[in-house]
Amino acid sequence: MLTHAALAEPDLFVDFAQTAHLGFVHNSPPSPERHMHLFMGSGLAWTDFDRDGVLDLLFCQGSANPTVQPGETPAVDLWRGLSAETGDYHNVSAGSGFNGTGYSNGLSVADYDNDGFADLFVTGFFSAALYRNNGDGTFSDQTASAKIAPTGFGTGCCWTDLDRDGNLDLLYVRYIKIDPKQYPLCTTFYKGREIAMGCGPKRFAGEHDSVYLSKGNGEFHDVTVTSGFGGVTPRHGLGCVAVDLDDDGHVELYVANDGMPNDLWKNIGGMKFEERGMLSGVAVNRFGAAEAGMGIAVGDVDGDLKPELFVTNYFDETNTLYRNEGDLLFLDVTEEFGIAGPSRKRLGFGTNFQDFDNDGWLDLFVANGHVEDHKHLIGITDEPFAQLSQVFTNRKGRRFEDVSRRAGPFFQQPWVARGSAAADFDGDGKVDLAVLRLNDRAALLRNTNQNIGHWLSLELQGTQSNRDAIGATVVIRSGQSAWRRDRMSSASYLSCDSPRLHFGIGGKTKVDSVQVGWPSGESEIFVEVHSDRLTRLVEGTGRKN
């Protein structure tokens, strides 16, 4: 919780991009015909691709070409962190192997071949690419040899180990079914004048998401049909996450759908999944209405060690908070937690649950921006294209309070924000944010809050599990207090948070135990873990639980 003293601070966040020499500019200028994909925007990711201990940034890049053709590999920009102390970044895209020129949308970072170096899967407009990290600062395109089909309007993606064999599998989400050679364009008439407007998703059929199972040798097998994903009506997928929501040791897959009910895929074992979004209460809002799902945040916001789901939605809808009641049942508590009113006149994209003041309670960030840039031409003046982003402080698990007006200059100026990703990039124990802005320079929001509690950061390394320990659940205990985090490879809107798990622990100076539920199914207890520092935990070195 931010105290009154903290709220008096003029800047809780400062845009550090210029100081850090982070000059990435997203390229997505609207076409005269208002091609729809140019307004969807892209994601970004934190990773340590060169294993030097300093976090780097990956950005999905857009394209000014309004009619992208199939086969153009999606563009990616790589910015290397030179120093955690100074926060300097350098563009090392040239020579990295990221040579694509197509419009890229989302990405997921993970060491899929368990060699110790972070690899990348990136989706695009009728393209996708699997990049293997060669360990020397370069990446190799392995899409064809991995037998992954880069088709359709790709959006979200996430790595996770679905069959618990120690090899990471892949969820590859699609948005709509569209023919790029006959790109649909939409117009409307207002006062006798024809005006180009971006087509909404309801005009299109959905397209099935794909599930790829790793063979463990660099190749993947498409199990979309046999796993159950091909047996439902396809929807308009955007953000996705993989997390164990019911603590049965198997991850569930959750997909935010635009204008259609969200999907929650229950892992029932044997590489079989059942879609239970409606049964679980996370498909629609409390009024039974499907919303325009964009980004997803996951985290235990009420302190009961069960992760909640938060989904950003369209203008004149609310962003929606689904409270985890256990046994894969959720309740829409958006109103009760004070989120409904502040979000109704925003169009949300990126979103992150992070403890920005280290008081032990997860706070909330939302990146906002519309998808139509000239509604004023049809007489609608209260739906601006650029919008104010928001930060909410968590009031001890009971409600959220919008403190955006006191959070710094970034929150006082409207932007067209899309993907967001959280990390303590400078190693000072305070979680920062990187935000991709449509057709604009990326923001690097350095956390400058001075009134914070103690913290600890964990880096997990699997041995029997996948090396990145994606799918692990971690619970920290200190006295009567306990906190939970889940290791995931995707977050927010088409983005990835830091691979390091950050815990705020308030006034506690000592951690009694750290319990890790590894993706392999093993559970271990670690006791020699100290506060206010980064610690690496290796599977097999703790005490069996």
Side-chain angles (χ1 to χ4, degrees), residues 244-247 252 254 264 266 276-284 302 304 306-309 321-333:
D244 185 359
L245 294 168
D246 56 0
D247 293 325
E252 279 70 50
Y254 185 60
L264 177 59
K266 166 65 178 173
R276 296 187 182 177
M278 199 67 72
L279 289 174
S280 296
V282 293
V284 296
D302 57 2
D304 64 355
K306 296 189 292 288
E308 275 68 53
L309 294 169
L321 176 62
Y322 299 103
R323 186 174 64 200
N324 192 335
E325 301 292 300
D327 297 322
L328 214 61
L329 296 174
F330 294 78
L331 288 178
D332 177 351
V333 292

Side-chain angles (χ1 to χ4, degrees), residues 60-219:
C60 289
Q61 182 57 285
S63 169
N65 185 351
T67 54
V68 177
Q69 296 301 311
E72 293 182 343
T73 304
V76 179
D77 272 23
L78 174 59
W79 290 74
R80 181 172 179 247
L82 302 180
S83 167
E85 288 74 20
T86 61
D88 285 339
Y89 284 84
H90 179 59
N91 188 352
V92 295
S93 304
S96 66
F98 297 136
N99 300 317
T101 58
Y103 201 111
S104 61
N105 296 322
L107 73 178
S108 184
V109 180
D111 180 10
Y112 81 91
D113 55 1
N114 291 321
D115 69 347
F117 289 93
D119 311 300
L120 172 69
F121 185 74
V122 56
T123 69
F125 186 65
F126 286 93
S127 61
L130 172 62
Y131 288 106
R132 181 181 180 273
N133 189 333
N134 299 319
D136 60 0
T138 68
F139 291 76
S140 299
D141 189 340
Q142 301 293 311
T143 316
S145 61
K147 303 187 184 307
I148 295 176
T151 60
F153 194 149
T155 50
C157 53
C158 55
W159 293 102
T160 192
D161 187 357
L162 297 173
D163 54 359
R164 304 207 310 188
D165 66 349
N167 298 308
L168 288 172
D169 312 303
L170 180 67
L171 172 64
Y172 176 9
V173 175
R174 308 308 203 288
Y175 185 44
I176 55 175
K177 198 171 186 64
I178 186 174
D179 183 352
K181 295 181 180 179
Q182 297 179 347
Y183 199 117
L185 301 172
C186 296
T187 61
T188 189
F189 284 88
Y190 182 72
K191 294 184 177 181
R193 179 186 175 191
E194 186 178 19
I195 299 172
M197 301 291 287
C199 299
K202 292 183 179 180
R203 170 169 175 167
F204 307 94
E207 188 166 6
H208 282 116
D209 305 331
S210 298
V211 180
Y212 284 93
L213 188 67
S214 173
K215 295 182 178 180
N217 61 356
E219 294 185 4

Side-chain angles (χ1 to χ4, degrees), residues 191-524:
K191 294 184 177 181
R193 179 186 175 191
E194 186 178 19
I195 299 172
M197 301 291 287
C199 299
K202 292 183 179 180
R203 170 169 175 167
F204 307 94
E207 188 166 6
H208 282 116
D209 305 331
S210 298
V211 180
Y212 284 93
L213 188 67
S214 173
K215 295 182 178 180
N217 61 356
E219 294 185 4
F220 292 81
H221 177 52
D222 189 339
V223 295
T224 304
V225 174
T226 58
S227 65
F229 275 73
V232 300
T233 301
R235 293 171 177 167
H236 305 142
L238 288 173
C240 65
V241 293
V243 61
D244 185 359
L245 294 168
D246 56 0
D247 293 325
D248 67 349
H250 296 278
V251 296
E252 279 70 50
L253 300 171
Y254 185 60
V255 181
N257 293 311
D258 190 358
M260 305 181 79
N262 302 320
D263 294 319
L264 177 59
W265 293 95
K266 166 65 178 173
N267 191 332
I268 59 175
M271 275 307 297
K272 300 291 184 182
F273 291 80
E274 291 181 355
E275 202 291 294
R276 296 187 182 177
M278 199 67 72
L279 289 174
S280 296
V282 293
V284 296
N285 66 15
R286 70 197 306 164
F287 305 107
E291 298 173 301
M294 309 289 185
I296 306 170
V298 179
D300 174 21
V301 303
D302 57 2
D304 64 355
L305 303 184
K306 296 189 292 288
E308 275 68 53
L309 294 169
F310 179 79
V311 182
T312 55
N313 295 306
Y314 202 75
F315 195 92
D316 262 342
E317 298 175 342
T318 70
N319 298 331
T320 304
L321 176 62
Y322 299 103
R323 186 174 64 200
N324 192 335
E325 301 292 300
D327 297 322
L328 214 61
L329 296 174
F330 294 78
L331 288 178
D332 177 351
V333 292
T334 309
E335 294 277 357
E336 291 84 344
F337 271 72
I339 297 172
S343 65
R344 192 175 298 278
K345 293 301 179 181
R346 301 283 201 280
L347 199 162
F349 275 89
T351 183
N352 309 83
F353 280 134
Q354 293 289 335
D355 188 353
F356 294 121
D357 52 4
N358 291 338
D359 70 343
W361 298 97
L362 289 176
D363 308 305
L364 174 65
F365 170 79
V366 181
N368 296 311
H370 215 295
V371 294
E372 294 185 274
D373 66 334
H374 57 194
K375 278 206 161 187
H376 60 283
L377 296 181
I378 58 173
I380 300 176
T381 59
D382 63 346
E383 294 189 26
F385 188 43
Q387 299 180 3
L388 297 175
S389 292
Q390 297 164 295
V391 61
F392 298 81
T393 187
N394 186 334
R395 295 299 187 187
K396 295 186 176 180
R398 295 189 295 270
R399 62 184 178 89
F400 286 98
E401 180 183 346
D402 187 347
V403 295
S404 309
R405 291 183 179 180
R406 295 163 286 190
F410 175 86
F411 296 90
Q412 312 313 313
Q413 183 172 343
W415 310 103
V416 185
R418 293 297 186 253
S420 60
D424 177 12
F425 78 89
D426 53 4
D428 66 351
K430 295 178 285 190
V431 179
D432 314 294
L433 290 162
V435 183
L436 187 144
R437 294 180 282 196
L438 187 74
N439 204 34
D440 203 343
R441 183 171 179 163
L444 181 59
L445 302 182
R446 190 173 197 174
N447 188 334
T448 56
N449 188 0
Q450 298 302 306
N451 191 10
I452 64 168
H454 294 282
W455 58 278
L456 61 90
S457 184
L458 298 178
E459 189 174 274
L460 306 181
Q461 182 177 321
T463 53
Q464 298 301 311
S465 304
N466 66 86
R467 197 177 194 281
D468 280 348
I470 290 170
T473 295
V474 181
V475 175
I476 288 180
R477 300 184 186 277
S478 179
Q480 299 301 310
S481 300
W483 302 271
R484 170 178 175 159
R485 301 288 187 269
D486 291 271
R487 176 70 169 97
M488 301 182 294
S489 71
S490 61
S492 184
Y493 177 70
L494 317 183
S495 298
C496 302
D497 289 336
S498 168
R500 302 164 182 170
L501 299 179
H502 182 93
F503 293 77
I505 56 175
K508 304 287 187 180
T509 58
K510 181 178 181 296
V511 173
D512 297 328
S513 67
V514 177
Q515 179 180 342
V516 181
W518 297 98
S520 63
E522 296 292 333
S523 179
E524 292 182 310

